[in-house]
Amino acid sequence: MAKLVGELDPITFEVVLHRLLDITEEMGIKYMRTSGSPILVGAYDASTGITLPNGELVAIGPYITTQANVLPVIIQSVRTRCITNPGISAGDMFICNDPYLGATHQPDVATVAPAFRDGELVAWVGSSGHWLDIGGPEPGGFNMKAYTAYDEGLRMPPTRIVEQGRIREDLVGLIMNQVRDPLCELDLRGQIVANMSGLQRLDDLFDQYGLTTVRAVMHEAINHVERRLRARLKELPDGVWQEVQFLDHDGHLPTMHKIVCTITKRRDVLRVDFTGSSPQADGFINCTLSGVRAATLSAMYILLAYDLPWNDGVARCLDLVAPPGTVVTAEHPAPISMATIASIILSLNVVFSALSKMLLASPRLYEEAMANWCGTSIAPTISGLNDRGITTVYGETSHFGAGCGARTYKDGVDTGGIVINTTASIPSIESSEAEYPILYLFRRQLIDSGGPGKFRGGVSAGVAVIPHDAGGQLESSFAACGLETPNAYGLAGGFPGAAVRYIRFAETTVQEKLRGGTPLPSDLAEIDGQLQITHTNQSHAALPFNMVEYHNWQGGGGYGDPLDRDAARVRQDVADQLVSSEAAAALYGVVLKNGQVDEPATLVRREEFRRGRLVGSRPAMEVLPDDPHRVATQWIDTAKGGGILSYGNAVKFDFDKDAAVCLACGRVLGAARADFRRGCAVQETPVTAAGPVRGEDYDLGRIRLRLYFCPGCGRQLEVEVALVGSSGSGFRLAPVLGGSA
């Protein structure tokens, strides 16, 4: 039998590695069962992990990947700050939620514990989770009025919370004195229980297999992933991909901030460069270096390491460039509290988009490409006394049932989850209503929210709630970005999914209907009262008993030209209330009569649409700058090789003939090594060209869609969400080394 490391055989390696993975999952289960928080139990907004003594990740639990990816940084901070005073000993645990020392943002609190064997530090275990509250001026911790991190609640550097097996109850009291919701104490104790479980299970593993064997497996797990991923990178096309996403509000003003990512892949090296991103903001949308690193690794896990254990073998394949002082690498004391639902998730989006376009050009791995999933997250919070007189802070997390991105062969999953959460879940309405002073009118999927395409993006949903059985005046807050900008970008001609929307209805009659036993509203159109289109980042707004709050979140992006979608699929989507009949006609060109597809009329309409796209279009060369990626792509001009690559079913790159060609009609769009979009016809349209709920309620005239068509046949080859007057996305492929595809 083949040996891996010394006397470590493949069977022992697999058994022990999966025991390590099981430990991380069990840690999470015990954490959540102890906590009872709806954010943890209902939405699994947590993570667990095991690392080497130096902090390198060996295994993570099946939870939130970004929270797991910052555990190494937090452990490094513990080792740097605590090794001498107070020291690191067996039985200790350290708590930290400082984004400048590794945390994603302040509400994501981590607790880590060293594992010793015969007096030697042999590993670390860690757990992290989103607490219901972290103190400060804003219930829930998303302080949209913050100008510095000092405005955002409790921020703990690495602090010894358990000393040689005894919980520091004085520190527990100090922490609980800063937060509103008493349930947070169970969040803290749940993390301690999780770490105790991890340490005990590790000890059992050492007893069964011996320290030498387990240590060998831990090191080999990381080495194995690095080898496999480098081999996979060599298979993928070389080239340069650039993506841009937009943060449309910073908490204070609707100032537009951009996140720019340029990925260069040459052989087995992946360079991810965030140069060009906007300077750090005055508001709370920033993240720190640990956050952008966590986001980048999460995208790599999902798209490149989908069949591998997720650990720091992936990190070894990453060359991350992130200049300090930007919106993704903010420096102290910039505010950070909305990082996870703003700059971190948008950083993941740009890496995800670029890697998907890379995969789409791979002859073997193109089916792994996906359009962006729900492009942002949101933070609706309702605070006040419940019917038992207990202070509660309710973070509404239905948005964890987000729309998933379309694949190259299938629609995105409807309300399937957020991309960084590997165990998708949302809280039950009944348990939320039992604990908190609210009543749900409905939680339902949102029609037309999935990005149109040959394969449709997954739809999102919307939620309406009212106060109910409150012990006093309630307040609500809503923190988000992505109301003006649909951030779930499509792929290879697919449209973006829906944007976020936040609506309040004042002076409704819902309470009277409730008392009278008459039917309650079951859809947005049925809610009466004074409609208020509410802008994002609203703080401490009174929530009277007769007010209804509604919000929806983003849907997934689509793949391919919507006019290529099977008309029978469109008909079924209409029947399932996932696509409206209006969108079926206007976006998919499908003619329905009596609920059935009129095939001849549909063929005629689609051909008319393709011809109509070219009427009024401009040559893309008049719109695009000469070459926005010239510095990063100079090496492509002289790269040796040949062969043929395809960008999905849209464009063929023939390096032997030096031509980029439309796969539908054979029209030459330009040179194979160039940006194919420059040979397209282009239209700039309002974002509503992708469907309703695309930011029209918040439109400031800044965001437009650029639709790129083949000038020969009118096929939609690419869709760009662009800031007016700028261009930043695009890619160039290098020829295949040796000339084979």
Side-chain angles (χ1 to χ4, degrees), residues 12-27 48-52 58-62 123-125 198 201-203 205-206 213-222 311:
T12 301
F13 172 73
E14 290 291 340
V15 169
V16 175
L17 176 58
H18 281 80
R19 283 282 295 275
L20 292 168
L21 292 167
D22 286 346
I23 291 170
T24 62
E25 184 171 6
E26 182 180 341
M27 289 171 63
T48 57
I50 298 171
T51 81
L52 295 178
V58 173
I60 67 173
W124 290 82
V125 299
R201 291 291 183 252
L202 272 180
D203 216 37
L205 198 59
F206 294 141
T213 296
V214 176
R215 189 176 355 225
V217 170
M218 293 171 73
H219 283 273
E220 176 58 21
I222 299 173
N311 62 35

mmCIF file of all heavy atoms in Angstrom, residues 12-27 48-52 58-62 123-125 198 201-203 205-206 213-222 311:
data_model
loop_
_atom_site.group_PDB
_atom_site.id
_atom_site.type_symbol
_atom_site.label_atom_id
_atom_site.label_comp_id
_atom_site.label_asym_id
_atom_site.label_seq_id
_atom_site.Cartn_x
_atom_site.Cartn_y
_atom_site.Cartn_z
ATOM 1 N N THR A 12 -5.547 5.244 6.867
ATOM 2 C CA THR A 12 -5.445 5.954 8.142
ATOM 3 C C THR A 12 -5.602 7.452 7.934
ATOM 4 O O THR A 12 -6.281 8.142 8.715
ATOM 5 C CB THR A 12 -4.099 5.654 8.816
ATOM 6 O OG1 THR A 12 -3.993 4.253 9.033
ATOM 7 C CG2 THR A 12 -3.971 6.384 10.144
ATOM 8 N N PHE A 13 -4.995 7.965 6.867
ATOM 9 C CA PHE A 13 -5.117 9.397 6.567
ATOM 10 C C PHE A 13 -6.582 9.798 6.420
ATOM 11 O O PHE A 13 -7.042 10.769 7.032
ATOM 12 C CB PHE A 13 -4.344 9.730 5.297
ATOM 13 C CG PHE A 13 -4.566 11.134 4.790
ATOM 14 C CD1 PHE A 13 -4.009 12.218 5.440
ATOM 15 C CD2 PHE A 13 -5.351 11.362 3.665
ATOM 16 C CE1 PHE A 13 -4.215 13.511 4.981
ATOM 17 C CE2 PHE A 13 -5.565 12.646 3.194
ATOM 18 C CZ PHE A 13 -4.992 13.724 3.858
ATOM 19 N N GLU A 14 -7.340 9.066 5.620
ATOM 20 C CA GLU A 14 -8.742 9.411 5.388
ATOM 21 C C GLU A 14 -9.569 9.276 6.659
ATOM 22 O O GLU A 14 -10.415 10.132 6.961
ATOM 23 C CB GLU A 14 -9.331 8.526 4.281
ATOM 24 C CG GLU A 14 -8.797 8.822 2.890
ATOM 25 C CD GLU A 14 -9.273 10.170 2.368
ATOM 26 O OE1 GLU A 14 -10.279 10.705 2.879
ATOM 27 O OE2 GLU A 14 -8.628 10.699 1.451
ATOM 28 N N VAL A 15 -9.346 8.217 7.422
ATOM 29 C CA VAL A 15 -10.129 7.999 8.635
ATOM 30 C C VAL A 15 -9.888 9.126 9.640
ATOM 31 O O VAL A 15 -10.823 9.712 10.196
ATOM 32 C CB VAL A 15 -9.805 6.626 9.251
ATOM 33 C CG1 VAL A 15 -10.424 6.507 10.649
ATOM 34 C CG2 VAL A 15 -10.317 5.505 8.362
ATOM 35 N N VAL A 16 -8.617 9.439 9.883
ATOM 36 C CA VAL A 16 -8.297 10.464 10.869
ATOM 37 C C VAL A 16 -8.738 11.841 10.390
ATOM 38 O O VAL A 16 -9.265 12.648 11.173
ATOM 39 C CB VAL A 16 -6.791 10.452 11.204
ATOM 40 C CG1 VAL A 16 -6.429 11.607 12.142
ATOM 41 C CG2 VAL A 16 -6.404 9.127 11.848
ATOM 42 N N LEU A 17 -8.541 12.136 9.097
ATOM 43 C CA LEU A 17 -8.979 13.431 8.573
ATOM 44 C C LEU A 17 -10.487 13.603 8.749
ATOM 45 O O LEU A 17 -10.961 14.675 9.156
ATOM 46 C CB LEU A 17 -8.596 13.563 7.098
ATOM 47 C CG LEU A 17 -9.094 14.834 6.397
ATOM 48 C CD1 LEU A 17 -8.596 16.093 7.093
ATOM 49 C CD2 LEU A 17 -8.658 14.847 4.932
ATOM 50 N N HIS A 18 -11.243 12.560 8.462
ATOM 51 C CA HIS A 18 -12.687 12.688 8.611
ATOM 52 C C HIS A 18 -13.100 12.744 10.080
ATOM 53 O O HIS A 18 -14.130 13.351 10.408
ATOM 54 C CB HIS A 18 -13.397 11.546 7.871
ATOM 55 C CG HIS A 18 -13.491 11.773 6.396
ATOM 56 N ND1 HIS A 18 -12.439 11.536 5.540
ATOM 57 C CD2 HIS A 18 -14.496 12.271 5.626
ATOM 58 C CE1 HIS A 18 -12.796 11.855 4.304
ATOM 59 N NE2 HIS A 18 -14.035 12.307 4.341
ATOM 60 N N ARG A 19 -12.315 12.151 10.951
ATOM 61 C CA ARG A 19 -12.574 12.341 12.383
ATOM 62 C C ARG A 19 -12.385 13.811 12.755
ATOM 63 O O ARG A 19 -13.164 14.370 13.540
ATOM 64 C CB ARG A 19 -11.632 11.450 13.203
ATOM 65 C CG ARG A 19 -12.020 9.984 13.236
ATOM 66 C CD ARG A 19 -13.167 9.702 14.209
ATOM 67 N NE ARG A 19 -12.781 9.958 15.588
ATOM 68 C CZ ARG A 19 -12.159 9.071 16.362
ATOM 69 N NH1 ARG A 19 -11.834 7.861 15.892
ATOM 70 N NH2 ARG A 19 -11.865 9.378 17.613
ATOM 71 N N LEU A 20 -11.353 14.446 12.203
ATOM 72 C CA LEU A 20 -11.135 15.870 12.473
ATOM 73 C C LEU A 20 -12.299 16.706 11.954
ATOM 74 O O LEU A 20 -12.774 17.633 12.626
ATOM 75 C CB LEU A 20 -9.816 16.328 11.839
ATOM 76 C CG LEU A 20 -8.539 15.748 12.442
ATOM 77 C CD1 LEU A 20 -7.341 16.036 11.545
ATOM 78 C CD2 LEU A 20 -8.290 16.323 13.838
ATOM 79 N N LEU A 21 -12.776 16.369 10.762
ATOM 80 C CA LEU A 21 -13.924 17.090 10.212
ATOM 81 C C LEU A 21 -15.172 16.863 11.063
ATOM 82 O O LEU A 21 -15.958 17.789 11.300
ATOM 83 C CB LEU A 21 -14.170 16.651 8.767
ATOM 84 C CG LEU A 21 -13.089 17.052 7.754
ATOM 85 C CD1 LEU A 21 -13.278 16.308 6.437
ATOM 86 C CD2 LEU A 21 -13.097 18.550 7.518
ATOM 87 N N ASP A 22 -15.354 15.630 11.535
ATOM 88 C CA ASP A 22 -16.496 15.339 12.403
ATOM 89 C C ASP A 22 -16.433 16.152 13.695
ATOM 90 O O ASP A 22 -17.459 16.600 14.221
ATOM 91 C CB ASP A 22 -16.537 13.844 12.740
ATOM 92 C CG ASP A 22 -17.002 12.998 11.564
ATOM 93 O OD1 ASP A 22 -17.532 13.570 10.602
ATOM 94 O OD2 ASP A 22 -16.812 11.772 11.615
ATOM 95 N N ILE A 23 -15.212 16.333 14.213
ATOM 96 C CA ILE A 23 -15.051 17.111 15.446
ATOM 97 C C ILE A 23 -15.534 18.537 15.237
ATOM 98 O O ILE A 23 -16.240 19.108 16.078
ATOM 99 C CB ILE A 23 -13.585 17.082 15.912
ATOM 100 C CG1 ILE A 23 -13.209 15.680 16.408
ATOM 101 C CG2 ILE A 23 -13.340 18.114 17.014
ATOM 102 C CD1 ILE A 23 -11.724 15.495 16.660
ATOM 103 N N THR A 24 -15.159 19.141 14.111
ATOM 104 C CA THR A 24 -15.587 20.520 13.864
ATOM 105 C C THR A 24 -17.100 20.620 13.717
ATOM 106 O O THR A 24 -17.711 21.604 14.156
ATOM 107 C CB THR A 24 -14.913 21.103 12.605
ATOM 108 O OG1 THR A 24 -15.305 20.344 11.451
ATOM 109 C CG2 THR A 24 -13.397 21.087 12.738
ATOM 110 N N GLU A 25 -17.724 19.605 13.117
ATOM 111 C CA GLU A 25 -19.181 19.633 12.996
ATOM 112 C C GLU A 25 -19.843 19.471 14.359
ATOM 113 O O GLU A 25 -20.803 20.173 14.688
ATOM 114 C CB GLU A 25 -19.661 18.542 12.044
ATOM 115 C CG GLU A 25 -21.159 18.583 11.809
ATOM 116 C CD GLU A 25 -21.622 17.663 10.703
ATOM 117 O OE1 GLU A 25 -20.799 16.895 10.173
ATOM 118 O OE2 GLU A 25 -22.823 17.711 10.360
ATOM 119 N N GLU A 26 -19.330 18.549 15.173
ATOM 120 C CA GLU A 26 -19.895 18.351 16.507
ATOM 121 C C GLU A 26 -19.726 19.606 17.363
ATOM 122 O O GLU A 26 -20.625 19.972 18.137
ATOM 123 C CB GLU A 26 -19.227 17.165 17.192
ATOM 124 C CG GLU A 26 -19.795 16.877 18.577
ATOM 125 C CD GLU A 26 -19.138 15.689 19.254
ATOM 126 O OE1 GLU A 26 -18.513 14.869 18.551
ATOM 127 O OE2 GLU A 26 -19.245 15.583 20.494
ATOM 128 N N MET A 27 -18.590 20.279 17.223
ATOM 129 C CA MET A 27 -18.398 21.535 17.958
ATOM 130 C C MET A 27 -19.519 22.515 17.632
ATOM 131 O O MET A 27 -20.079 23.171 18.522
ATOM 132 C CB MET A 27 -17.044 22.147 17.603
ATOM 133 C CG MET A 27 -15.841 21.416 18.157
ATOM 134 S SD MET A 27 -14.283 22.054 17.479
ATOM 135 C CE MET A 27 -14.307 23.742 18.103
ATOM 136 N N THR A 48 -16.625 26.803 13.075
ATOM 137 C CA THR A 48 -15.708 26.114 13.979
ATOM 138 C C THR A 48 -14.493 25.671 13.177
ATOM 139 O O THR A 48 -14.559 25.543 11.947
ATOM 140 C CB THR A 48 -16.368 24.880 14.618
ATOM 141 O OG1 THR A 48 -16.824 24.007 13.568
ATOM 142 C CG2 THR A 48 -17.540 25.263 15.498
ATOM 143 N N GLY A 49 -13.384 25.428 13.873
ATOM 144 C CA GLY A 49 -12.192 25.007 13.150
ATOM 145 C C GLY A 49 -11.139 24.404 14.058
ATOM 146 O O GLY A 49 -11.166 24.577 15.284
ATOM 147 N N ILE A 50 -10.226 23.672 13.432
ATOM 148 C CA ILE A 50 -9.048 23.104 14.085
ATOM 149 C C ILE A 50 -7.833 23.576 13.298
ATOM 150 O O ILE A 50 -7.843 23.550 12.049
ATOM 151 C CB ILE A 50 -9.091 21.570 14.097
ATOM 152 C CG1 ILE A 50 -10.308 21.071 14.899
ATOM 153 C CG2 ILE A 50 -7.801 20.983 14.677
ATOM 154 C CD1 ILE A 50 -10.541 19.572 14.783
ATOM 155 N N THR A 51 -6.791 24.010 13.990
ATOM 156 C CA THR A 51 -5.587 24.505 13.319
ATOM 157 C C THR A 51 -4.340 23.835 13.876
ATOM 158 O O THR A 51 -4.359 23.208 14.941
ATOM 159 C CB THR A 51 -5.433 26.032 13.477
ATOM 160 O OG1 THR A 51 -4.851 26.324 14.759
ATOM 161 C CG2 THR A 51 -6.751 26.767 13.333
ATOM 162 N N LEU A 52 -3.251 24.001 13.158
ATOM 163 C CA LEU A 52 -1.929 23.628 13.651
ATOM 164 C C LEU A 52 -1.515 24.599 14.766
ATOM 165 O O LEU A 52 -2.151 25.646 14.946
ATOM 166 C CB LEU A 52 -0.919 23.687 12.518
ATOM 167 C CG LEU A 52 -1.095 22.707 11.347
ATOM 168 C CD1 LEU A 52 -0.013 22.952 10.296
ATOM 169 C CD2 LEU A 52 -1.072 21.271 11.817
ATOM 170 N N VAL A 58 -6.608 23.398 9.548
ATOM 171 C CA VAL A 58 -6.579 21.995 9.146
ATOM 172 C C VAL A 58 -7.958 21.539 8.696
ATOM 173 O O VAL A 58 -8.104 20.825 7.705
ATOM 174 C CB VAL A 58 -6.093 21.113 10.314
ATOM 175 C CG1 VAL A 58 -6.219 19.632 9.966
ATOM 176 C CG2 VAL A 58 -4.666 21.458 10.695
ATOM 177 N N ALA A 59 -8.994 21.949 9.431
ATOM 178 C CA ALA A 59 -10.358 21.520 9.126
ATOM 179 C C ALA A 59 -11.322 22.581 9.636
ATOM 180 O O ALA A 59 -11.066 23.227 10.654
ATOM 181 C CB ALA A 59 -10.664 20.180 9.792
ATOM 182 N N ILE A 60 -12.433 22.746 8.918
ATOM 183 C CA ILE A 60 -13.477 23.681 9.353
ATOM 184 C C ILE A 60 -14.811 22.958 9.359
ATOM 185 O O ILE A 60 -15.018 21.977 8.632
ATOM 186 C CB ILE A 60 -13.548 24.948 8.480
ATOM 187 C CG1 ILE A 60 -14.029 24.615 7.061
ATOM 188 C CG2 ILE A 60 -12.209 25.657 8.445
ATOM 189 C CD1 ILE A 60 -14.291 25.845 6.203
ATOM 190 N N GLY A 61 -15.723 23.456 10.187
ATOM 191 C CA GLY A 61 -17.057 22.886 10.233
ATOM 192 C C GLY A 61 -17.907 23.353 9.064
ATOM 193 O O GLY A 61 -17.587 24.340 8.391
ATOM 194 N N PRO A 62 -19.014 22.673 8.811
ATOM 195 C CA PRO A 62 -19.872 22.991 7.654
ATOM 196 C C PRO A 62 -20.799 24.172 7.923
ATOM 197 O O PRO A 62 -22.029 24.040 7.899
ATOM 198 C CB PRO A 62 -20.650 21.688 7.448
ATOM 199 C CG PRO A 62 -20.776 21.126 8.827
ATOM 200 C CD PRO A 62 -19.500 21.491 9.542
ATOM 201 N N ALA A 123 -2.114 21.909 18.832
ATOM 202 C CA ALA A 123 -3.195 22.358 17.944
ATOM 203 C C ALA A 123 -3.957 23.484 18.630
ATOM 204 O O ALA A 123 -3.696 23.822 19.796
ATOM 205 C CB ALA A 123 -4.152 21.204 17.623
ATOM 206 N N TRP A 124 -4.879 24.076 17.884
ATOM 207 C CA TRP A 124 -5.867 25.013 18.427
ATOM 208 C C TRP A 124 -7.248 24.574 17.937
ATOM 209 O O TRP A 124 -7.387 24.012 16.832
ATOM 210 C CB TRP A 124 -5.622 26.437 17.939
ATOM 211 C CG TRP A 124 -4.407 27.119 18.482
ATOM 212 C CD1 TRP A 124 -3.115 26.980 18.039
ATOM 213 C CD2 TRP A 124 -4.363 28.073 19.552
ATOM 214 N NE1 TRP A 124 -2.268 27.772 18.756
ATOM 215 C CE2 TRP A 124 -3.012 28.469 19.701
ATOM 216 C CE3 TRP A 124 -5.322 28.635 20.389
ATOM 217 C CZ2 TRP A 124 -2.595 29.394 20.651
ATOM 218 C CZ3 TRP A 124 -4.926 29.558 21.334
ATOM 219 C CH2 TRP A 124 -3.576 29.934 21.469
ATOM 220 N N VAL A 125 -8.250 24.841 18.743
ATOM 221 C CA VAL A 125 -9.635 24.738 18.283
ATOM 222 C C VAL A 125 -10.261 26.120 18.441
ATOM 223 O O VAL A 125 -9.827 26.924 19.280
ATOM 224 C CB VAL A 125 -10.444 23.688 19.070
ATOM 225 C CG1 VAL A 125 -9.844 22.304 18.901
ATOM 226 C CG2 VAL A 125 -10.545 24.060 20.546
ATOM 227 N N GLY A 198 -14.309 20.174 21.359
ATOM 228 C CA GLY A 198 -13.225 19.970 20.404
ATOM 229 C C GLY A 198 -11.953 19.471 21.069
ATOM 230 O O GLY A 198 -11.280 18.558 20.556
ATOM 231 N N ARG A 201 -12.475 15.757 22.124
ATOM 232 C CA ARG A 201 -12.459 14.835 20.985
ATOM 233 C C ARG A 201 -11.052 14.721 20.386
ATOM 234 O O ARG A 201 -10.649 13.638 19.943
ATOM 235 C CB ARG A 201 -13.449 15.308 19.925
ATOM 236 C CG ARG A 201 -14.908 15.186 20.348
ATOM 237 C CD ARG A 201 -15.333 13.722 20.453
ATOM 238 N NE ARG A 201 -16.737 13.615 20.793
ATOM 239 C CZ ARG A 201 -17.198 13.215 21.979
ATOM 240 N NH1 ARG A 201 -16.339 12.896 22.938
ATOM 241 N NH2 ARG A 201 -18.492 13.140 22.199
ATOM 242 N N LEU A 202 -10.303 15.819 20.370
ATOM 243 C CA LEU A 202 -8.915 15.738 19.920
ATOM 244 C C LEU A 202 -8.103 14.834 20.835
ATOM 245 O O LEU A 202 -7.288 14.017 20.383
ATOM 246 C CB LEU A 202 -8.283 17.130 19.870
ATOM 247 C CG LEU A 202 -8.428 17.942 18.590
ATOM 248 C CD1 LEU A 202 -7.733 19.292 18.745
ATOM 249 C CD2 LEU A 202 -7.848 17.204 17.390
ATOM 250 N N ASP A 203 -8.327 14.982 22.125
ATOM 251 C CA ASP A 203 -7.611 14.154 23.090
ATOM 252 C C ASP A 203 -7.931 12.677 22.871
ATOM 253 O O ASP A 203 -7.041 11.810 22.927
ATOM 254 C CB ASP A 203 -7.979 14.581 24.504
ATOM 255 C CG ASP A 203 -6.810 14.498 25.462
ATOM 256 O OD1 ASP A 203 -5.677 14.801 25.045
ATOM 257 O OD2 ASP A 203 -7.027 14.110 26.628
ATOM 258 N N LEU A 205 -8.759 11.372 20.074
ATOM 259 C CA LEU A 205 -8.108 10.983 18.823
ATOM 260 C C LEU A 205 -6.623 10.700 19.049
ATOM 261 O O LEU A 205 -6.065 9.735 18.501
ATOM 262 C CB LEU A 205 -8.296 12.097 17.787
ATOM 263 C CG LEU A 205 -8.075 11.753 16.309
ATOM 264 C CD1 LEU A 205 -9.015 10.653 15.860
ATOM 265 C CD2 LEU A 205 -8.267 12.992 15.448
ATOM 266 N N PHE A 206 -5.978 11.533 19.855
ATOM 267 C CA PHE A 206 -4.572 11.297 20.196
ATOM 268 C C PHE A 206 -4.417 9.976 20.948
ATOM 269 O O PHE A 206 -3.464 9.221 20.712
ATOM 270 C CB PHE A 206 -4.024 12.443 21.047
ATOM 271 C CG PHE A 206 -3.948 13.760 20.348
ATOM 272 C CD1 PHE A 206 -4.262 14.940 21.011
ATOM 273 C CD2 PHE A 206 -3.563 13.842 19.018
ATOM 274 C CE1 PHE A 206 -4.193 16.157 20.369
ATOM 275 C CE2 PHE A 206 -3.487 15.057 18.361
ATOM 276 C CZ PHE A 206 -3.805 16.223 19.042
ATOM 277 N N THR A 213 0.873 10.138 14.652
ATOM 278 C CA THR A 213 0.006 9.883 13.499
ATOM 279 C C THR A 213 -0.962 11.038 13.264
ATOM 280 O O THR A 213 -1.128 11.506 12.127
ATOM 281 C CB THR A 213 -0.785 8.584 13.710
ATOM 282 O OG1 THR A 213 0.130 7.487 13.765
ATOM 283 C CG2 THR A 213 -1.774 8.349 12.577
ATOM 284 N N VAL A 214 -1.606 11.515 14.318
ATOM 285 C CA VAL A 214 -2.577 12.596 14.147
ATOM 286 C C VAL A 214 -1.887 13.857 13.644
ATOM 287 O O VAL A 214 -2.392 14.557 12.756
ATOM 288 C CB VAL A 214 -3.329 12.868 15.459
ATOM 289 C CG1 VAL A 214 -4.261 14.066 15.305
ATOM 290 C CG2 VAL A 214 -4.115 11.647 15.895
ATOM 291 N N ARG A 215 -0.708 14.148 14.194
ATOM 292 C CA ARG A 215 0.017 15.326 13.736
ATOM 293 C C ARG A 215 0.389 15.183 12.261
ATOM 294 O O ARG A 215 0.290 16.154 11.496
ATOM 295 C CB ARG A 215 1.266 15.528 14.590
ATOM 296 C CG ARG A 215 1.921 16.858 14.279
ATOM 297 C CD ARG A 215 3.124 17.250 15.102
ATOM 298 N NE ARG A 215 3.521 16.425 16.178
ATOM 299 C CZ ARG A 215 3.859 16.879 17.395
ATOM 300 N NH1 ARG A 215 3.783 18.164 17.657
ATOM 301 N NH2 ARG A 215 4.260 16.065 18.336
ATOM 302 N N ALA A 216 0.797 13.977 11.859
ATOM 303 C CA ALA A 216 1.141 13.756 10.450
ATOM 304 C C ALA A 216 -0.069 13.983 9.550
ATOM 305 O O ALA A 216 0.037 14.576 8.471
ATOM 306 C CB ALA A 216 1.691 12.346 10.266
ATOM 307 N N VAL A 217 -1.251 13.515 10.006
ATOM 308 C CA VAL A 217 -2.467 13.719 9.213
ATOM 309 C C VAL A 217 -2.790 15.201 9.095
ATOM 310 O O VAL A 217 -3.153 15.696 8.018
ATOM 311 C CB VAL A 217 -3.649 12.950 9.841
ATOM 312 C CG1 VAL A 217 -4.968 13.342 9.163
ATOM 313 C CG2 VAL A 217 -3.439 11.453 9.729
ATOM 314 N N MET A 218 -2.646 15.942 10.172
ATOM 315 C CA MET A 218 -2.966 17.369 10.147
ATOM 316 C C MET A 218 -2.082 18.113 9.154
ATOM 317 O O MET A 218 -2.573 18.949 8.377
ATOM 318 C CB MET A 218 -2.822 17.954 11.550
ATOM 319 C CG MET A 218 -3.857 17.419 12.536
ATOM 320 S SD MET A 218 -3.549 17.899 14.254
ATOM 321 C CE MET A 218 -4.001 19.629 14.190
ATOM 322 N N HIS A 219 -0.803 17.804 9.156
ATOM 323 C CA HIS A 219 0.108 18.461 8.209
ATOM 324 C C HIS A 219 -0.172 17.993 6.779
ATOM 325 O O HIS A 219 -0.189 18.802 5.835
ATOM 326 C CB HIS A 219 1.560 18.179 8.588
ATOM 327 C CG HIS A 219 2.051 18.982 9.745
ATOM 328 N ND1 HIS A 219 2.588 20.244 9.596
ATOM 329 C CD2 HIS A 219 2.067 18.728 11.079
ATOM 330 C CE1 HIS A 219 2.931 20.728 10.779
ATOM 331 N NE2 HIS A 219 2.618 19.830 11.699
ATOM 332 N N GLU A 220 -0.384 16.681 6.631
ATOM 333 C CA GLU A 220 -0.611 16.159 5.287
ATOM 334 C C GLU A 220 -1.930 16.639 4.710
ATOM 335 O O GLU A 220 -2.058 16.814 3.492
ATOM 336 C CB GLU A 220 -0.567 14.632 5.299
ATOM 337 C CG GLU A 220 -0.880 13.964 3.969
ATOM 338 C CD GLU A 220 0.032 14.386 2.825
ATOM 339 O OE1 GLU A 220 1.151 14.885 3.074
ATOM 340 O OE2 GLU A 220 -0.373 14.212 1.662
ATOM 341 N N ALA A 221 -2.932 16.896 5.565
ATOM 342 C CA ALA A 221 -4.211 17.414 5.064
ATOM 343 C C ALA A 221 -4.012 18.729 4.329
ATOM 344 O O ALA A 221 -4.585 18.962 3.252
ATOM 345 C CB ALA A 221 -5.189 17.597 6.226
ATOM 346 N N ILE A 222 -3.184 19.595 4.891
ATOM 347 C CA ILE A 222 -2.910 20.884 4.251
ATOM 348 C C ILE A 222 -2.074 20.685 2.995
ATOM 349 O O ILE A 222 -2.363 21.261 1.930
ATOM 350 C CB ILE A 222 -2.211 21.831 5.246
ATOM 351 C CG1 ILE A 222 -3.110 22.093 6.459
ATOM 352 C CG2 ILE A 222 -1.857 23.157 4.572
ATOM 353 C CD1 ILE A 222 -2.447 22.873 7.571
ATOM 354 N N ASN A 311 -9.142 23.925 3.851
ATOM 355 C CA ASN A 311 -8.150 24.287 4.859
ATOM 356 C C ASN A 311 -7.121 25.227 4.240
ATOM 357 O O ASN A 311 -7.305 25.707 3.109
ATOM 358 C CB ASN A 311 -7.507 23.039 5.482
ATOM 359 C CG ASN A 311 -6.747 22.182 4.480
ATOM 360 O OD1 ASN A 311 -6.132 22.685 3.532
ATOM 361 N ND2 ASN A 311 -6.775 20.873 4.682
#
